[in-house]
Amino acid sequence: MPRILLVEDETSIADTLVYALETEHFEVCHTTTAGEALEKLHHHFDLAILDVGLPDMSGFDLCSEIRKSSSLPVLFLTARDSEIDRILGLELGGDDYVTKPFSPREVAARVRAILRRMGNPPPPPTSEPSTLNHNPSAMTISCHGKPLNLTAHEYKLLAALMSQPGRIFTREQILIKAWDDPGSAMDRTVDAHIKSLRAKIRAQTPEGKDPIETRRGLGYTLNPDSL
Ligand code: CA
């Protein structure tokens, strides 16, 4: 049974979620504070559901704390549009979000979708395993045979670079490829996502190298040797 860590201080919301998730055969560990959640982190979990408005720490800060030691998939529960902007605009390492009020079934469906995405079996190893491997139908990219835990923007960005290895993409071209509304994003948004993407790839690469090259004043390109 997949184990879920639920961090939500509103008891009524938590109770409905616990009930819905348990009905769908998830095992749920519920805490009402970020502090309590951090203490439980040494247990094995498959996914964390974090309320953004927690009494002792924001769900965003809790996510950053979790990210220091684990790549546990994170689903945010948000109450305000301004929080969604933060989830999408900043590199928080979250995997998805749902806005309150939500139906518990919707949350359970999102949880299942994330777990399916994460558990997508890596492609069978060839004689020389490639560094990066794109599975477009599952919308996953694996690095050294292990799926990368990417946000939607990171995924689209890396998929764009992988579509034409060796080609230099300007920041503007990357924005058009990876953002639905490129006008609202800025060049430094691309830089921030490239930075987090590199960190994720390096974490899964034995030599700690990353295949994305910066061409100063021009943009970014993917080293063709990485495919
Ligand atoms: Ca709350």
Side-chain angles (χ1 to χ4, degrees):
M1 251 199 244
R3 281 175 55 89
I4 313 277
L5 175 64
L6 169 65
V7 193
E8 166 62 76
D9 57 315
E10 274 170 74
T11 324
S12 56
I13 294 179
D15 287 349
T16 0
L17 272 183
V18 169
Y19 178 78
L21 289 165
E22 285 181 349
T23 307
E24 304 224 12
H25 307 294
F26 292 103
E27 197 181 325
V28 186
C29 170
H30 170 223
T31 74
T32 51
T33 64
E36 211 185 322
L38 288 170
E39 280 170 24
K40 302 239 184 244
L41 267 188
H42 60 276
H43 294 292
H44 168 76
F45 292 104
D46 297 286
L47 184 140
I49 301 177
L50 310 181
D51 177 31
V52 171
L54 291 168
D56 53 343
M57 186 191 275
S58 81
F60 297 139
D61 292 338
L62 175 57
C63 181
S64 308
E65 281 301 311
I66 292 174
R67 280 285 167 273
K68 285 181 186 168
S69 60
S70 118
S71 58
L72 185 68
V74 167
L75 174 70
F76 285 113
L77 304 178
T78 74
R80 292 195 304 271
D81 286 352
S82 56
E83 294 171 344
I84 299 171
D85 289 346
R86 264 202 85 188
I87 292 171
L88 298 177
L90 291 181
E91 201 32 69
L92 290 162
D95 295 278
D96 203 353
Y97 65 91
V98 280
T99 28
K100 294 177 182 176
F102 47 72
S103 82
R105 286 180 68 103
E106 182 192 357
V107 176
R110 296 294 183 93
V111 166
R112 263 197 312 273
I114 296 173
L115 290 177
R116 214 167 28 232
R117 214 152 68 208
M118 306 305 299
N120 182 53
T126 51
S127 53
E128 184 69 67
S130 56
T131 311
L132 295 175
N133 222 309
H134 186 195
N135 181 343
S137 58
M139 292 181 132
T140 56
I141 295 171
S142 56
C143 176
H144 284 281
K146 252 178 68 189
L148 287 163
N149 177 16
L150 302 177
T151 63
H153 285 137
E154 288 167 354
Y155 165 75
K156 288 189 207 167
L157 199 165
L158 185 54
L161 291 176
M162 287 175 76
S163 69
Q164 285 171 282
R167 169 187 160 179
I168 296 174
F169 285 85
T170 65
R171 288 176 178 78
E172 197 188 359
Q173 286 165 337
I174 290 174
L175 281 172
I176 290 167
K177 290 230 177 230
W179 270 259
D180 294 325
D181 179 16
S184 67
M186 282 179 285
D187 285 1
R188 64 171 181 275
T189 313
V190 173
D191 295 341
H193 281 80
I194 292 269
K195 193 176 164 200
S196 64
L197 193 49
R198 279 179 158 152
K200 288 181 181 179
I201 293 174
R202 272 200 300 270
Q204 270 178 233
T205 305
E207 318 85 56
K209 286 183 192 161
D210 84 76
I212 301 171
E213 292 169 12
T214 308
R215 295 296 168 83
R216 203 162 281 281
L218 297 171
Y220 295 99
T221 182
L222 188 82
N223 184 338
D225 293 343
S226 63
L227 300 177

